[in-house]
Structures are given as structure tokens and as C-alpha cells.
Amino acid sequence: MSMAAELDTAAGALLTVWDGARERTANRISTAQLRAVMLVEQQDGINLRRLATGLDMLLSSASRLCDRLVAAGMLEREPGRADRREISLHLTAEARRLLAELREDRRQHLAAILAAMTPEASEALLHGLREFDAAARARVRRPVSPLVPPQEAHPEQLPASGRGAAEHGVEPQSRGWSAGKTSVSRTA
């Protein structure tokens, strides 16, 4: 079995922890809404056009998503500082609480799993994941998901065929993987 295949298999447990935490918030916010909230958290004051680009959505779809998040008390809209016609998006205290709960849930489950490992194995895992993160960041032009902090990514760096594909359930092959402080991929 190749190293990549073994890593893919072993990472399943880590993804299960993230998916479990995400599922426990599903009654309050959808996956698409969570992606939007996390992107707004990373880029406070983001405008609707940049949010749509970051989510690989049509502008109209992102606008409807924001409408639902505003109605749910997760986002606030404000007129832009530079251009009053432009709307900037900000998280509410409720959205910040939700993200904190989600992350705490993940950390508790991870801590329980790490406690079953030897200290040496835990340190080796952390060291390896840090190196993996650095290597992935070095070769990524744009993260797969806005759930991951971008590394100065710009939409014009994506091939035209990659824009909007995720909206239709197709993941562009030209994209790389990225990790960051939120340490998530497709789920929170």
C-alpha cells in the first residue's frame, strides 16, 4: 500500500471527528451556511461578490444564503466604508459562539483520542502534520474550501473551468489542498 493510500485510510478517523462535530451543529446551520460563516470569520467585512467567489457560488445564490444567515442571526450586513452601495458582512455574537462550540467539540474529541496514544506518538503526529501543512501550503494556489484560511488566493489564479464547479457538485481537479488555523477541509 502506498504512503498516500495509508494516509488516506488513517485520516478517516480525523475526518470522522470533524464530521461528528459538524453533525452536532446541523440543527442550527447547514454546511453551506457554515462555510459562509467561516469565510466571513476569516475575512471580516468581506463583500458579497468576494463571498460568492470564495464559496464558488453564483452571486444570486450567495445573496440568498446571506439572507438566510441574516434571518438566522448569524450575519450582519453593513454599508461598505469605501462604497456605501457595497455591503460588508460581519459575524454576530451568535455565529462566534457557534464556531467556538464547534471547535471546542472537535478539540475534546481529539484530546480523548490523543490521550490513548503514547506521548511520543502524539508528538510525532503533530510534527508530521505540521510538515504536511507546510508542504501543502507551498504548492497550493487556492484552498479547496473557504473553511480553510486562504494563502493570498485570488479568483483569477483559478482556471476558468474551476470557477463555480463546486456549486454543481464537481470538484475541479486543478485545485490543491490547504490547511490552516481552523484545520478543516470540507467540514467544520
Side-chain angles (χ1 to χ4, degrees):
M1 187 182 276
S2 74
M3 175 69 83
E6 288 184 48
L7 178 59
D8 184 54
T9 300
L14 187 58
L15 292 174
T16 298
V17 169
W18 278 315
D19 287 344
R22 167 65 198 106
E23 288 298 319
R24 287 183 284 281
T25 66
N27 63 339
R28 293 190 278 175
I29 190 169
S30 73
T31 299
Q33 290 171 335
L34 180 61
R35 291 177 62 219
V37 165
M38 294 183 87
L39 184 55
V40 172
E41 178 191 39
Q42 294 162 8
Q43 299 179 36
D44 185 49
I46 190 172
N47 65 28
L48 189 57
R49 185 168 306 282
R50 285 181 44 219
L51 180 73
T53 299
L55 296 173
D56 289 326
M57 288 183 160
L58 296 173
L59 189 58
S60 59
S61 298
S63 181
R64 286 190 300 276
L65 182 68
C66 285
D67 289 343
R68 290 190 298 275
L69 285 167
V70 168
M74 296 286 166
L75 283 185
E76 294 175 341
R77 291 181 173 131
E78 290 182 3
R81 293 186 184 120
D83 182 350
R84 307 285 291 166
R85 295 171 296 176
E86 188 173 87
I87 301 297
S88 63
L89 302 168
H90 306 276
L91 295 185
T92 63
E94 178 62 24
R96 292 186 191 288
R97 267 192 303 279
L98 177 76
L99 293 175
E101 289 171 18
L102 179 70
R103 290 178 179 130
E104 182 56 30
D105 184 327
R106 276 197 323 239
R107 289 175 183 143
Q108 286 178 4
H109 283 86
L110 288 171
I113 294 167
L114 291 169
M117 296 173 64
T118 65
E120 298 80 18
S122 296
E123 284 298 318
L125 175 63
L126 180 59
H127 177 77
L129 286 173
R130 284 180 178 155
E131 281 195 31
F132 183 88
D133 179 59
R137 286 179 184 274
R139 65 180 299 272
V140 171
R141 292 177 3 176
R142 182 164 184 245
V144 170
S145 167
L147 298 181
V148 181
Q151 293 293 96
E152 295 297 316
H154 301 283
E156 61 273 6
Q157 291 175 320
L158 272 181
S161 64
R163 294 185 201 127
E167 182 178 342
H168 303 289
V170 177
E171 200 56 46
Q173 297 300 314
S174 61
R175 292 199 204 164
W177 177 90
S178 179
K181 70 179 179 185
T182 56
S183 302
V184 294
S185 177
R186 295 185 204 296
T187 61

